Amino acid sequence: TSALNEPSCILPSQVPRYLNFASHVLIDCFTVYGTQLLEPFSNRRFGLSNFFIIDPLFTLPLLIWIAAAVIRKQPAGTAPKGVVAASSMWIAGYVAFSFAAQAIASQRFGKELADQGITPTRSLVAPTPFNTLVWRGIFETDDAFRIGYWSVTDSEEPLVFKKVEDSRHLLTPYLEDRGIACAIWFSENFLLVEPSPEGGFLLNDLRFAEFWPDDTDGMPRTFFSWQVVPEAMEGGPVFRQVRSSRPSLSRFAEAFEARLRGDRNAFLP
């Protein structure tokens, strides 16, 4: 019965709570993964790609904000004004910095590709994991993907691009298969395709930072990989995530430091 007596409109005291929910959705738009703002009317994802899906420098001020409210036992929806002001300024400044760095990285990638005679049909520029200092560009051409990195500490020396062959044509007979269609939709068709020894295909989502294991014949792996056997194939259907060959955080940290120091090949094989 109490639910029947609840007001049907949003009270002023409830505004911070709803803004909190809304901000969570909008923050997801900063990532390369994006979010489906128009659900249930459209499953299109919106992503600005100025943040990695996990960024401690963005999350830390929010945690300090929450910790300050908990320690001081503040009422719900409030926090110490000094902490709020400092955290808000840091977050706003960090977001602005990420967009500025992304714009400079995109401009630098575009210049380098033009100098090398490469004309991409599609591109994606996003930060490497956990930071906004080193940026990764993936550029689709008619027959391959080119992957390169730019750092905010870079000089004017030419950038290095790794060419990865595009084998998405192998999926053409199976585009109506649900597993294949899901992988294409999720990855926005930034897919690295390889025949799988277990049948079907190994699909890697190239939107996220790649790493180069020693046992893959020079082919990269990513955070999102699947083994997909279409229904039309013998032994299908199968759709499962592949969890082998995970990257080492220590090796990433070494590559990150080397890239900031100017090593153009730090993240490449």
Side-chain angles (χ1 to χ4, degrees), residues 9 17 27 47 57 61 64 77 79 81-82 84-85 92 104 155 162 173 239:
C9 60
R17 184 180 303 173
I27 289 170
L57 291 180
I64 294 175
K81 292 183 179 180
V84 172
I104 297 172
S155 62
K162 171 65 177 177
F239 187 101

Side-chain angles (χ1 to χ4, degrees), residues 150-170:
W150 173 83
S151 166
V152 296
T153 59
D154 271 358
S155 62
E156 293 301 317
E157 295 180 16
L159 300 178
V160 176
F161 294 95
K162 171 65 177 177
K163 182 178 180 180
V164 180
E165 297 296 331
D166 179 9
S167 298
R168 289 174 298 175
H169 63 276
L170 297 175

Side-chain angles (χ1 to χ4, degrees), residues 32-200:
V32 67
Y33 177 73
T35 191
Q36 295 162 239
L37 288 177
L38 301 181
E39 283 284 5
F41 307 105
S42 171
N43 65 359
R44 178 187 173 188
R45 290 199 307 276
F46 295 84
L48 299 172
S49 305
N50 58 304
F51 282 156
F52 189 68
I53 53 177
I54 302 172
D55 192 322
L57 291 180
F58 182 85
T59 306
L60 184 59
L62 298 175
L63 295 177
I64 294 175
W65 187 332
I66 294 171
V70 171
I71 292 172
R72 297 194 178 192
K73 298 181 179 180
Q74 298 288 319
T78 65
K81 292 183 179 180
V83 175
V84 172
S87 298
S88 298
M89 290 178 62
W90 173 267
I91 291 170
Y94 191 60
V95 171
F97 171 80
S98 70
F99 280 120
Q102 184 184 44
I104 297 172
S106 298
Q107 182 181 38
R108 183 66 188 279
F109 280 132
K111 178 181 181 301
E112 292 292 337
L113 289 168
D115 290 345
Q116 298 181 31
I118 301 172
T119 304
T121 57
R122 198 165 55 128
S123 62
L124 177 66
V125 176
T128 55
F130 318 126
N131 77 101
T132 55
L133 298 179
V134 178
W135 292 74
R136 174 180 179 266
I138 176 170
F139 304 94
E140 179 183 340
T141 61
D142 292 337
D143 62 342
F145 293 102
R146 261 83 172 185
I147 300 173
Y149 288 84
W150 173 83
S151 166
V152 296
T153 59
D154 271 358
S155 62
E156 293 301 317
E157 295 180 16
L159 300 178
V160 176
F161 294 95
K162 171 65 177 177
K163 182 178 180 180
V164 180
E165 297 296 331
D166 179 9
S167 298
R168 289 174 298 175
H169 63 276
L170 297 175
L171 302 180
T172 301
Y174 311 104
L175 294 180
E176 299 300 321
D177 182 85
R178 176 172 172 76
I180 297 295
C182 285
I184 291 174
W185 170 80
F186 179 84
S187 67
E188 297 181 329
N189 208 20
F190 281 104
L191 273 181
L192 175 65
V193 180
E194 300 174 66
S196 171
E198 301 177 12

